[in-house]
């Protein structure tokens, strides 16, 4: 028997051709590309939070810092006067008016109308009506009779008393001896 070499090579050639064709098909096909993850979103700058509303650093008026200043007492023929403030300016004045039998409480500030004034002590709280001062002085004034219990409460308040007038900063005043001296001037 005679071997036909062409017929023996043909199956090998066909097999090799098939392998080569499959390799070409695989190598010619588009490679599978895994997409890159999307870039991380850059966070937008967050605007700063608004500052919290300022709450008083104290819960009770007795814990409030004392209004800066000192009491100064001056004896006068019609009764003494005590001024509270810094330098020559007075934020609050207590004046004995012996002829009328009153103690005048004057808060520096201007108004064309009566304003509510509240005096707070450790033993008493009292709303008063403060009238614009005479002769255009920049004060509002409340008058108390010399026997009024509020005067004693101011003089003997534990450490301080408070004076509030609508539209003006609250005063936290020490209950020093000058307060009692004015009261005693009017009662004596």
């Amino acid at each position: 028997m005679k071997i036909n070499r062409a017929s023996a090579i043909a199956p090998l050639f066909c097999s090799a051709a098939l392998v080569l064709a499959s390799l070409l098909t695989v190598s010619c096909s588009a490679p599978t590309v895994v997409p890159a993850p999307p870039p991380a979103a850059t966070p937008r700058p967050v605007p700063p939070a608004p500052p919290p509303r300022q709450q008083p650093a104290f819960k009770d008026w007795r814990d409030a810092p004392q209004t800066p200043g000192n009491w100064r007492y001056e004896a006068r023929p019609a009764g003494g006067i005590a001024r509270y403030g810094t330098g020559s300016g007075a934020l609050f004045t207590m004046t004995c008016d012996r002829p009328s039998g009153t103690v005048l409480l004057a808060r520096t500030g201007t108004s064309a109308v009566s304003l509510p004034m509240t005096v707070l002590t450790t033993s008493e709280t009292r709303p008063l009506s403060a009238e614009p001062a005479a002769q255009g002085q920049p004060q509002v004034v409340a008058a108390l009779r010399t026997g009024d219990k509020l005067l004693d409460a101011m003089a003997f308040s534990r450490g301080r008393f408070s004076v509030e007038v609508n539209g003006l900063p609250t005063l936290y005043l020490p209950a020093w001896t000058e307060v009692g001296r004015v009261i005693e001037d009017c009662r004596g």
Side-chain angles (χ1 to χ4, degrees):
M1 182 163 150
K2 201 172 176 187
I3 299 180
N4 186 354
R5 289 190 178 195
S7 62
I9 294 179
L12 286 175
F13 181 72
C14 285
S15 296
L18 282 173
V19 169
L20 185 60
S22 11
L23 285 174
L24 284 175
T25 304
V26 168
S27 66
C28 290
S29 66
T32 306
V33 177
V34 176
T42 53
R44 280 193 240 159
V46 177
R53 282 184 48 185
Q54 289 225 335
Q55 297 292 328
F58 49 89
K59 293 181 181 181
D60 189 317
W61 67 270
R62 291 170 284 208
D63 297 329
Q66 177 180 308
T67 301
N70 289 303
W71 283 106
R72 293 180 315 279
Y73 174 81
E74 178 186 335
R76 296 158 82 185
I81 181 170
R83 293 181 180 92
Y84 187 85
T86 57
S88 62
L91 296 171
F92 186 74
T93 305
M94 292 181 68
T95 306
C96 169
D97 185 4
R98 202 175 291 135
S100 69
T102 59
V103 174
L104 304 175
L105 309 178
R107 170 68 168 100
T108 300
T110 58
S111 177
V113 297
S114 298
L115 293 175
M117 175 188 281
T118 303
V119 176
L120 294 97
T121 71
T122 52
S123 62
E124 188 170 343
T125 298
R126 174 92 61 82
L128 304 168
S129 179
E131 304 297 326
Q135 301 153 357
Q137 294 177 355
Q139 295 177 324
V140 290
V141 181
L144 296 173
R145 302 295 303 164
T146 58
D148 195 312
K149 294 185 322 179
L150 181 60
L151 293 171
D152 295 311
M154 291 167 68
F156 297 110
S157 190
R158 291 186 192 135
R160 69 183 68 203
F161 61 94
S162 170
V163 178
E164 299 174 352
V165 175
N166 276 10
L168 298 172
T170 300
L171 300 178
Y172 302 99
L173 307 173
W176 290 351
T177 58
E178 291 82 355
V179 174
R181 287 183 74 182
V182 169
I183 297 164
E184 289 304 312
D185 278 353
C186 274
R187 291 180 180 166

